[in-house]
Amino acid sequence: MPLSAAMSDDLQQLRVDHAALRMRVALLKLELAYDRAVKAEARAAVADSFEEMLTVSAGLSLIEGVMRGAENITQSAAEDHWQNFKQQLRDKFNIRVVLQDEPWLPVFLKQREIEFLTTLEKLFERVDSAPWPLAEKHSLRHSPLRLEFKALTPGQSLFGQIEARLESETLRHAQRLSQGLDQKRQQAIGITKYVWRTRGDNKVRAAHAANDGKLFEWRNPPATGYPGEDFGCRCWADPVLDGAGDVFIEPADEVRVAGMGKVVIEIFRRVIAKRAARQAAERAARDAARKPKPAPPSKPLPGNILKRPKDIPENWRQVPSNKGEGTKFVDPKNPHNYVRISRGKPDSSNPGQSVDHVRWQKNGMSLDKYGNPVSRLSRDSHIPLDEFKFRRELFE
Amino acid sequence: MIRIFKNNIIEALEALSSYAFQKTAWFDNNQGLSYSYNENILDLFYDSMLDEVLKAGEVVFGKDADDLLRDLELATAKLDGSDYSEAALIDLPQMQIIREKAAHALALIKAGWGGRSSVDLV
């Protein structure tokens, strides 16, 4: 074979080999590029899932944090309510009070806290059971979470949605707590009625706007429920003493005691007594205008109701009457032995009540003027003061 | 231990809860009755020592009945019978509320609660 021919064949073979090699290199390059592309895509997918996983994890931590702080949130909301309630009493009735103890409060707060925790727990479970890691890029939009947070805009982050939901739940919890405390605290100090108040803006729902300014009783709520009770309701109960607009002003007073509502109740008693006195005066004036004046009693009321009747032992304690005008003498050895003297009501239609009279009892049993047991509702148990004679022998 | 006479409490609640009884006692003088709202409250809470034991947190008739009696005492404290004639008092709205509360307490006490009182209830 001539050299030129042999070289030509070799060259030809080399060319073929080279072409094959180039093709293999190209294929390898393509393969490499493909691998790179595939891996890059996989990494991107993992990164997306990881990001969402972190978001869900951060959301769960956020819910957990609020759950751990539920007790403090509740206590703080209750304290805020007390400050507002106190302020309201001062503004409305000019009364300043400090209550140091409310025995029902711990149980009430714990109940509300448990309700709040139950809501948060459900939220936690829903987020926790979501299909994560979320393999597909926009799967969140189709997941149960999307349904849970459907009120929010699609572009908003999951974390933001959880945060907003927690905020609304906490606000709702504080509102419900405030409504309940309004009811409990108003009733604890003897307020039985309230006027429904709204915020007066265009967000007030129609049913609540219809209640605005109306008088309700705590024991008889309207069909809408109590103000502030419904979800997101911002209405509130404006306390009244007795009837709309029936407000009585007392001098500012501050007393500190450790008894539930005791101070407030005492103050309200005075306020109500003042009102009763005013009503009695008005009624008397009306009656006087309508009727002829009644004739004065034919004989003066006998005796002094504060004077110790003869023969009552000196060691029997004399105490003022808890109700009405009168006095009571109590056996120190047995509080169920006593003599009570009451002021009569000259205008009473009942003869037993029209004069100053004595009621006495021995060991819980009511006695007539001779010391015989009788019903405490009988006329015999009401002894005219001038006919009463204490019998020591009965109590020896 | 403070002694409380249960029958005296029941008798006082019966009188306080009954419109018919009050009407008879106040306006029918042939029945030999003598009744006043203020005395009724004194019998129920103060002369009976019930006020003292309820304030001390003792258990008398069970939690529900005791709470109701405390509530009743608050309601009665707001009404002084000496401010009204019997004719006015009997139809006073506050008086009706008091009657209802008294009737409720009476029903609970009569039903019993199965527990043990921390006072000497006889």
Side-chain angles (χ1 to χ4, degrees):
Chain A
M1 178 183 290
L3 182 63
S4 60
M7 280 181 71
S8 177
D9 288 346
D10 286 347
L11 192 60
Q12 190 62 27
Q13 186 60 46
L14 276 171
R15 278 179 181 156
V16 169
D17 288 348
H18 180 66
L21 200 62
R22 282 178 67 189
M23 193 177 285
R24 288 193 66 180
V25 168
L27 280 171
L28 277 170
K29 278 184 178 174
L30 270 174
E31 212 168 276
L32 198 61
Y34 178 77
D35 273 0
R36 275 184 190 152
V38 168
K39 281 175 184 168
E41 196 175 321
R43 271 203 304 274
V46 168
D48 281 348
S49 297
F50 189 62
E51 193 182 330
E52 283 165 4
M53 183 181 78
L54 284 178
T55 304
V56 171
S57 175
L60 291 174
S61 300
L62 190 66
I63 301 171
E64 263 189 296
V66 177
M67 286 172 85
R68 274 196 298 273
E71 188 175 354
N72 287 341
I73 290 169
T74 307
Q75 290 288 350
S76 170
E79 178 55 32
D80 284 350
H81 178 271
W82 169 240
Q83 295 302 333
N84 292 336
F85 184 71
K86 204 164 61 166
Q87 183 70 38
Q88 193 183 31
L89 281 180
R90 189 159 49 203
D91 293 347
K92 195 168 173 63
F93 303 121
N94 202 19
I95 294 170
R96 278 189 290 138
V97 287
V98 177
L99 292 182
Q100 293 180 337
D101 187 23
E102 292 175 309
W104 49 269
L105 189 60
V107 174
F108 177 80
L109 294 184
K110 193 47 82 180
Q111 285 170 342
R112 289 288 189 270
E113 186 191 321
I114 289 167
E115 282 173 21
F116 183 43
L117 280 171
T118 308
T119 309
L120 294 177
E121 207 172 353
K122 281 180 188 162
L123 184 62
F124 186 92
E125 280 167 6
R126 284 198 175 116
V127 174
D128 194 35
S129 63
W132 68 269
L134 305 166
E136 292 176 28
K137 197 170 179 182
H138 300 293
S139 63
L140 186 60
R141 289 186 185 168
H142 308 289
S143 74
L145 284 176
R146 171 83 187 109
L147 295 175
E148 178 63 29
F149 300 107
K150 61 187 174 188
L152 298 165
T153 51
Q156 198 171 341
S157 74
L158 173 63
F159 186 80
Q161 294 177 62
I162 293 173
E163 206 174 16
R165 177 65 181 269
L166 281 173
E167 199 178 319
S168 70
E169 287 297 346
T170 308
L171 184 66
R172 160 90 180 125
H173 168 58
Q175 279 172 343
R176 283 211 65 219
L177 190 73
S178 178
Q179 181 277 319
L181 285 172
D182 258 344
Q183 184 176 359
K184 296 284 279 184
R185 283 178 167 153
Q186 286 189 23
Q187 288 184 303
I189 61 171
I191 291 172
T192 57
K193 294 171 185 172
Y194 62 89
V195 172
W196 187 297
R197 303 281 186 211
T198 68
R199 298 282 172 185
D201 55 24
N202 57 6
K203 291 180 186 169
V204 176
R205 56 201 85 178
H208 291 191
N211 287 346
D212 192 26
K214 286 186 183 165
L215 185 73
F216 293 101
E217 281 183 299
W218 279 117
R219 67 187 188 124
N220 188 19
T224 49
Y226 295 113
E229 191 183 25
D230 214 358
F231 188 84
C233 174
R234 300 164 301 148
C235 300
W236 55 285
D238 189 7
V240 292
L241 280 178
D242 188 12
D246 201 0
V247 176
F248 301 91
I249 305 299
E250 277 285 286
D253 195 3
E254 183 166 1
V255 192
R256 292 172 187 272
V257 291
M260 170 202 154
K262 193 174 176 183
V263 178
V264 184
I265 289 162
E266 288 303 322
I267 291 169
F268 271 72
R269 274 182 185 168
R270 283 195 283 120
V271 172
I272 288 162
K274 197 173 167 183
R275 175 174 61 88
R278 192 196 67 192
Q279 285 178 339
E282 286 171 1
R283 197 172 45 253
R286 275 200 308 274
D287 289 349
R290 273 203 301 264
K291 293 183 211 166
K293 273 194 173 179
S298 55
K299 62 176 185 177
L301 292 172
N304 180 345
I305 61 164
L306 297 178
K307 192 177 160 191
R308 180 181 293 262
K310 196 182 165 195
D311 291 335
I312 289 186
E314 283 304 316
N315 67 341
W316 280 38
R317 285 181 301 113
Q318 181 171 7
V319 291
S321 181
N322 299 67
K323 209 158 182 67
E325 202 182 345
T327 189
K328 182 180 172 187
F329 299 90
V330 188
D331 182 352
K333 292 178 197 159
N334 182 351
H336 295 290
N337 292 343
Y338 67 80
V339 173
R340 176 184 290 287
I341 306 173
S342 300
R343 174 72 75 201
K345 284 173 78 174
D347 60 341
S348 173
S349 54
N350 191 304
Q353 298 288 337
S354 60
V355 295
D356 295 352
H357 56 272
V358 177
R359 294 171 73 215
W360 62 331
Q361 73 169 34
K362 182 187 173 188
N363 205 24
M365 182 66 76
S366 197
L367 307 174
D368 67 7
K369 67 177 177 180
Y370 306 108
N372 302 312
V374 286
S375 161
R376 66 187 61 244
L377 297 169
S378 70
R379 205 168 289 163
D380 289 342
S381 70
H382 294 68
I383 307 158
L385 181 56
D386 58 350
E387 292 177 22
F388 176 71
K389 186 175 182 318
F390 185 81
R391 293 166 188 267
R392 278 187 183 233
E393 66 275 15
L394 290 173
F395 298 92
E396 286 169 356
Chain B
M1 190 184 278
I2 294 179
R3 172 167 289 185
I4 300 288
F5 291 97
K6 185 178 176 181
N7 279 343
N8 287 355
I9 305 288
I10 289 177
E11 195 180 41
L13 283 171
E14 281 173 344
L16 189 60
S17 62
S18 171
Y19 181 93
F21 168 78
Q22 289 160 12
K23 194 175 174 186
T24 305
W26 279 333
F27 308 116
D28 183 353
N29 288 328
N30 298 322
Q31 302 300 317
L33 293 169
S34 184
Y35 172 76
S36 105
Y37 165 78
N38 277 4
E39 281 180 358
N40 197 169
I41 303 308
L42 291 171
D43 286 340
L44 177 59
F45 290 113
Y46 305 106
D47 294 346
S48 68
M49 312 289 287
L50 186 60
D51 162 70
E52 199 168 305
V53 294
L54 288 176
K55 275 184 183 149
E58 301 276 4
V59 180
V60 188
F61 299 109
K63 188 180 177 309
D64 290 346
D66 290 353
D67 284 347
L68 206 53
L69 286 167
R70 287 187 187 95
D71 187 33
L72 176 62
E73 192 187 356
L74 288 181
T76 59
K78 294 177 197 165
L79 182 61
D80 188 344
S82 53
D83 289 334
Y84 300 91
S85 66
E86 285 106 350
L89 191 58
I90 196 163
D91 288 320
L92 216 58
Q94 300 97 301
M95 193 67 202
Q96 183 53 33
I97 292 167
I98 287 168
R99 273 188 215 106
E100 284 168 16
K101 286 179 191 284
H104 192 177
L106 183 63
L108 281 179
I109 291 171
K110 283 186 171 175
W113 64 295
R116 202 177 166 80
S117 176
S118 65
V119 300
D120 182 18
L121 193 63
V122 293

